Amino acid sequence: MTDTFIAARLREFAGPTIFSEMTGLAQRAGALNLGQGFPDSDGPPELLEAARSAIARGMNQYPPATGLPALRSAIAERRADDHGVSYDPDTEVVVTAGATEAIAAALIGLCDPDDEVVVFDPLYDSYSACLAMAQVRRSPVLLEYDGTRFTFDPDALRRAVGPRTKVLLLNTPHNPTGKVFDQEELEFVARLCVEHDLIAVTDEVYEYLVYDGLRHVPLAALPGMRERVLSVSSAGKTFSATGWKVGWACGPARLVSAVRTVKQYLTFGTGTPLQAAVAVALTDCMPWVDGLRESLEHRRDLLVAGLRAGGITTYPSQGTYFVQMDARSFGSEDGQALCRMLVAETGVAAIPSVALYDNKAAGRHLVRLAFCKNEELLAAAARRLADAASQG
Ligand code: PMP
Ligand code: GLN
């Protein structure tokens, strides 16, 4: 008698995710939670009020499977105004249960078993699980720290593309490094996609959380790329509503229809009143998002300054909620062991970046901290970490 009924290809994913695990440990230890990436304050009041009002107005039944028309139009408008890429809201935009469902549906809907997907390493945790669900192989390309930034070896990227490669999966701004792919890197990726006739699926959930005067450039905005890119994003990070799980994918109809085919049987539709509220926010709340970006940049600086003052090595982050620090500053080579010690003894929860690495040796010493928390908490966490490092 077997002790599990979980399909063999999914057994390695059976335990709780690293984010659930660390939040659980943080709650039990009463630790400051710089682990799982969620903000500790609410999004714009107009967003919250729009959801309450949609519920009160009776928007409580199924939405259309592709999403509320008002939301699809608002998404298309943002993409056109902010990034100069136009989509037909009826055929080229689909609303999903968070970016997570969009990515899952894209991989399942675009790939056949034994196809290959090129992905940058480290990679967000759901990618590996979805690739396993789709029985698709991953071909990782390491993002290495070159002394100033995390970047990839163009030859390694070229080598990662094989005869079965169908999709290149790109996350920028990137979790967990905070890397924002620059123009030159994007151009290289674009050229490779054209050369090998690849589809690109881009995870852009942090598209508005980019600092230091940089701007997010979607791969789809590069010349010739609109027709081969499926751009995924969501409301979670943009409007500090990670629990709402309203996401979307935009792209040419031939790619969007692959997502729609899968998502209509995964969830069919999700969160009608929340979709209505996100449509309002995408139209009216972008100035609020500018304020969020400034505030997050300031909070990143506050945390990094506190860590550095305590002699802790940090790595550059120009976007997302996250910055990485080096476990070796605490006298440990092992970020995973350090995170367990920190949550239990120092009262700070963090994420061992190795959990998101395919190449475990490359990520062993890295620890991810979320700075989407209030300033007081960040300052207290930095003080505790600096104390711990000084004893390491
Ligand atoms: N991609 C990345 C890189 C993420 O960090 C996250 C977590 N927020 C997601 C996708 C999932 O987004 P959502 O909550 O909209 O499903
Ligand atoms: N995206 C969040 C993070 O990276 C986690 C979301 C989740 O818990 N699935 O921390």
Side-chain angles (χ1 to χ4, degrees):
M1 178 80 174
T2 171
D3 62 350
T4 178
F5 292 98
I6 299 171
R9 71 183 190 287
L10 300 177
R11 268 174 222 162
E12 66 173 295
F13 304 103
T17 74
I18 187 66
F19 307 119
S20 307
E21 185 187 344
M22 292 313 301
T23 286
L25 288 176
Q27 284 169 347
R28 282 195 290 283
L32 305 175
N33 192 356
L34 272 53
Q36 192 176 29
F38 61 89
D40 58 1
S41 54
D42 274 335
E46 294 91 327
L47 170 80
L48 309 177
E49 185 45 42
R52 280 190 286 267
S53 145
I55 291 171
R57 279 182 289 124
M59 294 189 73
N60 299 306
Q61 310 309 330
Y62 296 125
T66 53
L68 291 184
L71 178 54
R72 283 187 273 111
S73 294
I75 292 165
E77 244 170 71
R78 281 267 67 77
R79 282 268 132 185
D81 290 359
D82 297 343
H83 305 307
V85 192
S86 297
Y87 295 106
D88 175 350
D90 289 333
T91 56
E92 298 186 317
V93 180
V94 59
V95 176
T96 54
T100 308
E101 189 192 35
I103 293 161
L107 296 174
I108 296 168
L110 292 168
C111 298
D112 284 308
D114 298 325
D115 279 347
E116 261 180 29
V117 169
V118 170
V119 63
F120 291 98
D121 181 23
L123 58 156
Y124 183 59
D125 69 340
S126 78
Y127 300 175
S128 312
C130 290
L131 292 170
M133 289 178 211
Q135 298 183 270
V136 170
R137 281 198 291 267
R138 68 174 183 260
S139 179
V141 178
L142 189 61
L143 292 173
E144 276 181 288
Y145 187 62
D146 70 359
T148 53
R149 61 181 190 147
F150 284 88
T151 189
F152 59 89
D153 170 3
D155 290 331
L157 179 55
R158 207 175 268 294
R159 281 196 305 272
V161 179
R164 291 301 305 254
T165 307
K166 181 104 184 256
V167 168
L168 182 147
L169 179 49
L170 171 71
N171 168 217
T172 183
H174 181 261
N175 179 6
T177 60
K179 172 186 177 59
V180 176
F181 280 67
D182 68 19
Q183 190 71 24
E184 198 183 326
E185 291 169 320
L186 291 176
E187 282 172 9
F188 186 83
V189 168
R191 271 202 305 279
L192 204 72
C193 289
V194 172
E195 249 172 62
H196 295 273
D197 196 20
L198 305 181
I199 297 163
V201 175
T202 57
D203 176 348
E204 306 176 36
V205 298
Y206 299 99
E207 63 182 311
Y208 293 105
L209 307 186
V210 173
Y211 318 121
D212 304 328
L214 298 178
R215 260 186 81 80
H216 169 66
V217 177
L219 191 65
L222 269 65
M225 290 305 285
R226 183 195 179 282
E227 294 313 310
R228 59 176 71 249
V229 177
L230 186 77
S231 300
V232 172
S233 191
S234 92
K237 314 301 186 293
T238 302
F239 300 117
S240 299
T242 61
W244 282 27
K245 301 297 285 188
V246 175
W248 50 86
C250 306
R254 68 190 178 111
L255 299 184
V256 165
S257 63
V259 174
R260 196 188 53 229
T261 301
V262 177
K263 79 88 58 199
Q264 70 187 352
Y265 296 113
L266 277 181
T267 55
F268 184 79
T270 186
T272 307
L274 305 182
Q275 288 194 27
V278 171
V280 170
L282 283 172
T283 310
D284 295 341
C285 297
M286 297 317 284
W288 182 93
V289 178
D290 291 337
L292 172 67
R293 173 172 47 251
E294 280 166 28
S295 154
L296 279 170
E297 177 166 349
H298 174 70
R299 287 182 269 162
R300 174 203 62 179
D301 293 345
L302 187 89
L303 177 62
V304 167
L307 297 173
R308 292 215 173 139
I312 298 166
T313 300
T314 61
Y315 292 88
S317 156
Q318 300 189 298
T320 74
Y321 284 161
F322 310 115
V323 62
Q324 294 188 110
M325 64 175 184
D326 198 317
R328 292 173 295 199
S329 303
F330 296 77
S332 168
E333 292 281 328
D334 180 350
Q336 205 149 16
L338 178 69
C339 285
R340 284 187 200 295
M341 188 284 280
L342 289 177
V343 71
E345 293 173 27
T346 308
V348 177
I351 298 292
S353 301
V354 71
L356 308 177
Y357 269 86
D358 186 273
N359 178 338
K360 297 293 178 196
R364 188 156 183 261
H365 59 288
L366 295 169
V367 169
R368 191 195 82 176
L369 299 169
F371 52 79
C372 49
K373 311 288 171 172
N374 70 76
E375 292 187 19
E376 226 168 79
L377 188 146
L378 292 173
R383 270 196 305 276
R384 290 184 192 184
L385 291 170
D387 282 350
S390 71
Q391 290 156 23

